[in-house]
Amino acid sequence: MAELEQLLEEGAQGRGRAIYLVEGDEYLARGAARHIAEALVPEKDRALNLVVLDASVGAREIASHLMTVAMFAAPKAVIVEGAEAFAEEVDAEREIARARELWQAKRQRDAARRLLKLVRAAGWEAADLAFGSRTAPAAPRWRKEIGAAPEESDKAWLQELAAFAAEQRLSAPPQDVQVLTDAIERGLPPRTHLVLVAESLPPKHALARLASAKGVCIRRRAERRGRGIETLDISEVVAAALRPHGRKLARDAELELKQRLGDDLRLIATELEKLALYAGDRAQITRADVEAIIAPVREEEFFAVGEAVAEGDLARALQLFHDELRRKANASAVALPFLGGVAGAVRRSLADHARYTALPAARGARELRYDDFLRTVFPDVEAELTAKGQKVPNPYVAYLGYKRARRRPRSHWRRALVLCAEADAALKSGADQRLLVERLLTEVCA
């Protein structure tokens, strides 16, 4: 693995590599790719000679950009984001999340192509992406045929995406990665560089092998020295965000920031910019500054609503909802996504109840210990989900589902699901959103 500083120096001196593969955390990997491309291409030439694509455009279009000689006699760089999409097996949940991000970033064509590629194997077309509409596949069919399903809060943008894809007559890009690898094998035009950005590519993947043979691979990741969030190393993000402002972050302020924001590096960088402005003329950002303007919105905490609902922990569920309200300062931007989280937790609990009451080894009067569960019950769970083509959960997560399934009758979760449906209808009919969610949590967690 090469050091980024060394590669930037080589690029600025006109000694850039033909192909770069940057793997790791999305925020750091994208940032490193941009730095590399900017070192390769002088600022005055970037408008025409620096191209940023998403892998969803397809290997043929990327190859076309690479083989097109730059208009002016200057270096050319083509950045391809999301290159993990070229792997034969993709994470459906991650692909849906990536499409959501692209759509929110107003990159509608890339978002549509990415989802069309994901659903191509199932024989779906643009109309099938309109999740939530009467004619489109429902969540169970998504999970069965695609491997993951969108959230309830995804309905609006997915229906817009489906209409856009149909209007633009978009289809999934060709799968032929061979076109791209052949172009690289033959040799790119002089002073042309390909920068691939991926969370990870299998080492034996053709693009990974070419990067090792004809270019360079680098890894950009915020390392953890332990299991807790406090061990996450965010020094690089802190330096990049605060150095231009001449500010430093106190050690206890950094710890509090990680406790509130989790490991979302992009969010951490954004909030650091706010803290730099809030600190005014002070050279150091303190823990008090973090507590004053940063709401506790760790992704784990938001999605922990599922755990709070499943455990019947009303205080925790309300705290999560109020924390999210603090961040958004707008109940309408919180209530529907939060309701989706509650409904998802209820559906999982209902599914767990049905699964474990159907397995003889799980129906005993005595609650099994974890090691007994692993030996007698989990193999059946693993076999069932594998046969359905669904993702097998972590064994301990499955064990928690088993324990929760024993605590409440199926009628409770069925009633809770009805309450979620009624709340969804009420939210879309103009009900007081904050009051409605608080009432729902009270009833579901009762």
Side-chain angles (χ1 to χ4, degrees), residues 124-435:
W124 295 8
E125 298 179 349
D128 297 307
L129 299 176
F131 183 65
S133 67
R134 291 184 178 180
T135 57
R141 192 174 164 198
W142 272 82
R143 283 189 286 270
K144 180 180 179 180
E145 300 192 28
I146 308 303
E151 300 290 341
E152 291 293 313
S153 57
D154 291 328
K155 289 180 178 179
W157 72 267
L158 278 175
Q159 291 173 18
E160 292 177 9
L161 180 147
F164 172 82
E167 180 184 347
Q168 299 293 320
R169 298 181 180 179
L170 296 179
S171 59
Q175 284 183 305
D176 193 4
V177 180
Q178 190 70 36
V179 174
L180 179 57
T181 56
D182 286 348
I184 299 171
E185 289 277 12
R186 289 193 301 268
L188 302 181
R191 307 177 78 187
T192 298
H193 310 274
L194 171 62
V195 186
L196 297 168
V197 185
E199 288 190 16
S200 66
L201 275 178
K204 294 184 179 180
H205 192 278
L207 289 174
R209 291 202 309 268
L210 282 171
S212 297
K214 294 179 172 289
V216 63
C217 301
I218 64 172
R219 187 165 289 128
R220 309 294 291 167
R221 190 176 298 280
E223 301 293 342
R224 287 183 188 243
R225 295 181 297 275
R227 297 184 62 182
I229 189 64
E230 67 278 359
T231 66
L232 179 69
D233 181 6
I234 61 170
S235 56
E236 186 174 341
V237 180
V238 172
L242 297 185
R243 188 181 295 119
H245 301 280
R247 304 282 186 275
K248 292 185 178 181
L249 185 66
R251 176 60 187 153
D252 59 346
E254 177 183 325
L255 180 59
E256 184 64 26
L257 187 70
K258 289 187 286 190
Q259 292 289 352
R260 289 174 177 249
L261 300 181
D263 58 3
D264 186 335
L265 301 183
R266 185 180 301 279
L267 180 59
I268 289 174
T270 301
E271 297 304 301
L272 283 169
E273 293 283 349
K274 295 179 185 177
L275 286 166
L277 296 175
Y278 180 80
D281 295 332
R282 287 182 286 113
Q284 188 173 68
I285 296 169
T286 66
R287 179 173 182 170
D289 297 329
V290 175
E291 292 173 339
I293 68 168
I294 306 298
V297 294
R298 281 172 62 179
E299 184 177 338
E300 306 96 285
E301 291 186 3
F302 181 75
F303 288 106
V305 65
E307 183 178 355
V309 168
E311 295 285 350
D313 189 344
L314 176 60
R316 177 65 172 151
L318 288 172
Q319 178 190 347
L320 291 165
F321 179 55
H322 295 154
D323 285 346
E324 191 68 3
L325 284 175
R326 281 185 58 200
R327 182 169 79 92
K328 299 285 181 63
N330 183 352
S332 62
V334 174
L336 201 56
F338 203 88
L339 173 59
V342 174
V346 170
R347 284 194 298 271
R348 286 191 295 273
S349 296
L350 193 55
D352 283 342
H353 197 284
R355 174 178 300 115
Y356 293 115
T357 53
L359 294 176
R363 290 204 302 261
R366 180 180 64 85
E367 183 174 287
L368 298 174
R369 296 183 305 176
Y370 180 55
D371 54 347
D372 293 330
F373 173 84
L374 280 181
R375 180 173 49 83
T376 62
V377 177
F378 187 70
D380 293 335
V381 175
E382 192 173 21
E384 174 199 339
L385 295 177
T386 301
K388 293 179 178 178
Q390 297 178 10
K391 185 176 180 180
V392 177
N394 178 280
Y396 190 71
V397 172
Y399 179 62
L400 292 178
Y402 156 76
K403 292 177 66 176
R404 292 163 183 159
R406 298 176 58 86
R407 295 176 189 167
R408 293 186 177 183
R410 188 176 183 181
S411 58
H412 171 82
W413 297 116
R414 294 179 68 179
R415 174 59 182 158
L417 196 59
V418 171
L419 291 172
C420 289
E422 292 173 348
D424 182 68
L427 282 175
K428 295 172 181 176
S429 301
D432 184 304
Q433 303 192 39
R434 176 170 182 160
L435 182 62

Side-chain angles (χ1 to χ4, degrees), residues 47-158:
L48 295 175
N49 287 11
L50 178 53
V51 182
V52 182
L53 303 170
D54 188 84
S56 62
V57 302
R60 292 181 183 275
E61 186 166 336
I62 294 169
S64 175
H65 279 280
L66 284 170
M67 302 313 292
T68 302
V69 179
M71 182 174 294
F72 300 107
K76 176 180 178 179
V78 178
I79 300 177
V80 179
E81 297 177 344
E84 64 273 359
F86 290 128
E88 292 182 4
E89 295 184 5
V90 298
D91 184 327
E93 285 188 16
R94 185 173 62 189
E95 291 298 290
I96 293 171
R98 173 65 175 153
R100 183 190 301 119
E101 176 192 322
L102 290 168
W103 185 264
Q104 292 171 349
K106 307 301 182 185
R107 293 171 61 178
Q108 291 94 334
R109 189 172 295 271
D110 285 340
R113 281 172 165 165
R114 199 167 195 96
L115 277 187
L116 286 168
K117 180 181 179 182
L118 176 65
V119 304
R120 171 173 46 198
W124 295 8
E125 298 179 349
D128 297 307
L129 299 176
F131 183 65
S133 67
R134 291 184 178 180
T135 57
R141 192 174 164 198
W142 272 82
R143 283 189 286 270
K144 180 180 179 180
E145 300 192 28
I146 308 303
E151 300 290 341
E152 291 293 313
S153 57
D154 291 328
K155 289 180 178 179
W157 72 267
L158 278 175

